[in-house]
Amino acid sequence: MPTNKNALTRYKYLDEMLSDRYHFYDIHDLTEKCNEKLVNAGFPEVSQRCIEKDINYLEYDPFYAEIERYRVNGHRYIRYKDPSFTIFRKELSEEESNLILETLNTIGQFDGLANFEWLDRLKIGLGLKKRPRIISFSNNPYLQNSNLLGILFDNISNQVVVRLEYHTFMDKEVRKIILHPYLLKQYNDRWYLIGAADDDAKILNFALDRIDAVIALPEIKYKPCNEDLTERFEDIIGVTLYENRNIEHILFWVSDRSKGYMETKPIHGSQCQYKGEKEKELRRQYPSLNDGAFFSINCIPNYELIRELCSFGKELIVLSPSYIQDDIFNRIKSMLDIYSTMRI
């Protein structure tokens, strides 16, 4: 029996991949991925023949792993017959168990959603007692296609490429795209899937209520995201990023009635309020605005920004840049025209 550290490390990596039901691995894949992890851990690479011997060895004493070889689209893949099998067993410490229980309580807002039944099973397995929630998140129980959250969560966490079938609000024709899913993001009580298109790696977003079907494609190699997606959203409000637009310095005035709300709940992370000499200068520049407060943000304009600025009505006035002010003015004028035709 090989007992050196390199062999045990290989067994560990092979054990993880052979129990993986989200990807198909042939002997070449197992060798490549095992060598990647060995090199990262400071060990030398091994040959494909070595990996073949390792897999054969796992089938006998002391492991007795049931390993199946099966074919998909002409390719021969290898995996454990029972996905729950592992050659390693580790009991959770009390501290680890408590941490998991608290985490499950925190994400308990997903209770009842399809594909999250494993949360309930895990709670039962860990002996979690029912208790009142300490933290409650915003959750729209009537959101269309909320059942896709669990499915997409599994695909992202297990790095599985998917084919989406979807339609837009303006066009009911069903479209298809192969996507490498990276992130589920919530904005304004709606969930969005962020991922990269398989053909050109362009980052796209899809509202879950526009998705008609999600089909897993484990035969396609997953391409991890090569950027920090959290940084991608730092310069915008919402989820729509126009990569050909620059960051704009947007100056606006907020009434006394709403300035406290604006101070305690900024509409963007870059928001600042002007006081002192700068405020006096703005008062002189806009003499009709003799109360309220002046604010600014630095972000890339998009639909969500305009919608957020319009949501305050007369309590918020955009002062610059002029094209954003014009956009909001035209929206308000259009609303006024429509309402005018309806009034006697």
Side-chain angles (χ1 to χ4, degrees):
M1 172 181 176
T3 58
N4 64 79
K5 191 174 181 180
N6 188 303
L8 290 175
T9 303
R10 297 198 307 271
Y11 296 161
K12 175 181 180 296
Y13 297 147
L14 287 172
D15 183 71
E16 293 173 356
M17 290 185 282
L18 293 173
S19 62
D20 186 347
R21 282 302 184 266
Y22 296 94
H23 301 90
F24 297 156
Y25 295 120
D26 60 20
I27 189 62
H28 306 292
D29 298 325
L30 293 171
T31 303
E32 179 185 354
K33 290 187 174 296
C34 192
N35 276 328
E36 287 177 2
K37 295 186 177 183
L38 285 172
V39 171
N40 290 336
F43 294 107
E45 293 187 357
V46 296
S47 66
Q48 179 175 307
R49 179 58 181 158
C50 177
I51 297 299
E52 290 174 343
K53 288 182 177 179
D54 286 343
I55 294 172
N56 291 333
Y57 182 77
L58 294 178
E59 296 181 278
Y60 298 98
D61 181 51
F63 303 116
Y64 298 108
E66 290 189 74
I67 296 176
E68 62 178 353
R69 283 80 173 171
Y70 62 102
R71 288 189 177 274
V72 175
N73 297 329
H75 293 277
R76 187 169 183 261
Y77 299 105
I78 308 169
R79 68 184 180 188
Y80 286 147
K81 187 174 182 179
D82 179 2
S84 65
F85 177 82
T86 177
I87 62 174
F88 298 99
R89 296 290 178 189
K90 180 182 181 298
E91 297 296 330
L92 290 174
S93 68
E94 183 177 355
E95 182 180 359
E96 290 171 329
S97 180
N98 289 337
L99 179 60
I100 291 175
L101 298 184
E102 292 304 320
T103 302
L104 291 178
N105 274 345
T106 301
I107 62 174
Q109 74 271 24
F110 293 117
D111 284 351
L113 291 183
N115 280 66
F116 275 88
E117 300 91 344
W118 58 270
L119 281 176
D120 294 325
R121 294 197 300 269
L122 188 54
K123 288 178 183 178
I124 295 172
L126 293 173
L128 178 63
K129 296 180 180 179
K130 190 173 182 179
R131 65 183 72 177
R133 290 180 183 170
I134 298 175
I135 300 176
S136 178
F137 293 96
S138 174
N139 184 26
N140 182 359
Y142 307 107
L143 178 66
Q144 186 178 349
N145 286 355
S146 61
N147 62 300
L148 292 179
L149 275 174
I151 296 171
L152 293 169
F153 178 92
D154 281 347
N155 294 141
I156 295 171
S157 63
N158 292 288
Q159 297 189 330
V160 178
V161 178
V162 297
R163 182 173 73 245
L164 295 185
E165 297 181 2
Y166 68 100
H167 64 279
T168 66
F169 282 115
M170 305 302 295
D171 184 0
K172 299 302 181 182
E173 179 186 356
V174 176
R175 306 178 185 185
K176 299 179 182 180
I177 186 172
I178 296 177
L179 192 79
H180 299 254
Y182 297 143
L183 178 70
L184 287 166
K185 182 175 175 61
Q186 187 185 39
Y187 173 71
N188 197 28
D189 282 339
R190 172 178 283 170
W191 283 95
Y192 296 85
L193 170 65
I194 316 297
D198 183 65
D199 54 358
D200 60 6
K202 184 177 180 180
I203 300 294
L204 305 170
N205 70 75
F206 299 87
L208 262 60
D209 56 7
R210 300 294 92 197
I211 297 176
D212 300 295
V214 178
I215 298 93
L217 302 174
E219 66 274 18
I220 298 180
K221 187 175 181 180
Y222 184 87
K223 300 173 185 175
C225 187
N226 57 8
E227 66 174 282
D228 186 347
L229 288 179
T230 58
E231 293 183 359
R232 182 180 183 85
F233 299 102
E234 287 182 355
D235 295 327
I236 61 173
I237 292 175
V239 297
T240 307
L241 174 64
Y242 297 100
E243 297 187 3
N244 60 338
R245 296 184 182 179
N246 296 321
I247 295 175
E248 291 281 6
H249 179 73
I250 302 165
L251 175 66
F252 55 94
W253 169 89
V254 178
S255 69
D256 280 335
R257 182 177 180 179
S258 294
K259 71 176 183 181
Y261 181 87
M262 186 66 66
E263 290 170 350
T264 56
K265 189 184 177 184
I267 63 175
H268 188 260
S270 64
Q271 180 177 302
C272 71
Q273 180 178 353
Y274 292 105
K275 297 181 179 180
E277 289 301 318
K278 181 61 176 179
E279 182 184 13
K280 293 178 182 178
E281 178 185 335
L282 290 169
R283 297 286 181 197
R284 291 191 293 269
Q285 187 175 354
Y286 302 99
S288 62
L289 304 175
N290 54 13
D291 60 356
F294 294 91
F295 297 85
S296 72
I297 57 175
N298 298 301
C299 64
I300 298 173
N302 59 10
Y303 170 78
E304 294 97 316
L305 166 68
I306 302 300
R307 179 173 175 171
E308 182 70 21
L309 295 173
C310 288
S311 69
F312 286 86
K314 65 184 179 61
E315 309 297 330
L316 185 153
I317 305 297
V318 173
L319 304 175
S320 67
S322 59
Y323 78 91
I324 292 181
Q325 185 186 69
D326 291 343
D327 189 347
I328 295 176
F329 174 83
N330 290 330
R331 288 168 184 257
I332 295 172
K333 184 178 183 300
S334 178
M335 284 181 62
L336 178 62
D337 292 342
I338 294 171
Y339 273 108
S340 296
T341 63
M342 300 172 62
R343 295 174 64 85
I344 300 175

